[in-house]
Amino acid sequence: MAAVLSGPKQADEKDDVEDSPVAELIGMHQDKITKCGKCQTKTTTDNLLLLCNLVYPEHSTLKKKTSFGSVLCSSLCPEQVTPAWCEKCKKYQPTTQSRRLRSLPFTLSLNAGMDNPGDLAFWSTQMTLILEEHEGTGT
């Protein structure tokens, strides 16, 4: 999941993070879209991200080659269902949260994770599949 560094802004609020040279160089603008599962109310907020955490497929140890582009796409624009407060319903409801990328930075900053067995298994499997394909023993 991408690290969100700034949330919704008021019209008269100035955001120092967005005006910084760092944000200009590595900042990505995303729309965070939240849709209530009960009343279908949709809200959109502007977010500035300085880092994208790569999200890997659920079954990472299966013998299936996955392109880096596919991993990057699902990491930059993830979708998930999670409980969140709905203003219209006035209570927590299951909501679909998705992100839509509005701009890419000059320099894309990625975190590959690699701090848990699932991440390591994904990359290990991908490397094995590439090596088998290169050696002519893969499918």
Side-chain angles (χ1 to χ4, degrees):
M1 182 177 198
V4 177
L5 297 178
S6 67
K9 296 178 291 189
Q10 301 299 323
D12 60 345
E13 197 178 322
K14 183 163 172 55
D15 192 344
D16 292 335
V17 174
E18 280 195 30
D19 293 336
S20 76
V22 172
E24 249 181 69
L25 185 64
I26 64 172
M28 294 175 272
H29 285 276
Q30 280 186 336
D31 286 331
K32 178 182 174 190
I33 303 155
T34 305
K35 182 178 174 185
C36 176
K38 179 121 176 141
C39 70
Q40 306 302 309
T41 298
K42 210 184 253 192
T43 58
T44 303
T45 54
D46 176 34
N47 292 298
L48 175 69
L49 286 75
L50 300 180
L51 172 71
C52 176
N53 293 315
L54 294 181
V55 179
Y56 303 111
E58 290 288 321
H59 305 287
S60 60
T61 56
L62 295 178
K63 287 257 181 197
K64 182 181 175 198
K65 195 170 168 189
T66 305
S67 73
F68 180 74
S70 172
V71 171
L72 184 58
C73 237
S74 64
S75 302
L76 287 171
C77 298
E79 187 172 300
Q80 66 182 13
V81 175
T82 186
W85 183 260
C86 175
E87 279 300 320
K88 187 173 179 185
C89 297
K90 299 292 184 204
K91 64 180 191 174
Y92 283 93
Q93 296 288 5
T95 60
T96 302
Q97 294 181 348
S98 58
R99 297 183 186 271
R100 184 177 56 224
L101 193 60
R102 289 193 301 135
S103 67
L104 282 172
F106 292 107
T107 304
L108 188 58
S109 182
L110 302 173
N111 176 15
M114 307 304 287
D115 55 358
N116 66 64
D119 293 354
L120 294 170
F122 172 79
W123 286 114
S124 177
T125 300
Q126 294 305 302
M127 191 63 173
T128 300
L129 291 171
I130 289 169
L131 290 173
E132 286 176 354
E133 187 179 277
H134 181 70
E135 293 168 355
T137 59
T139 53

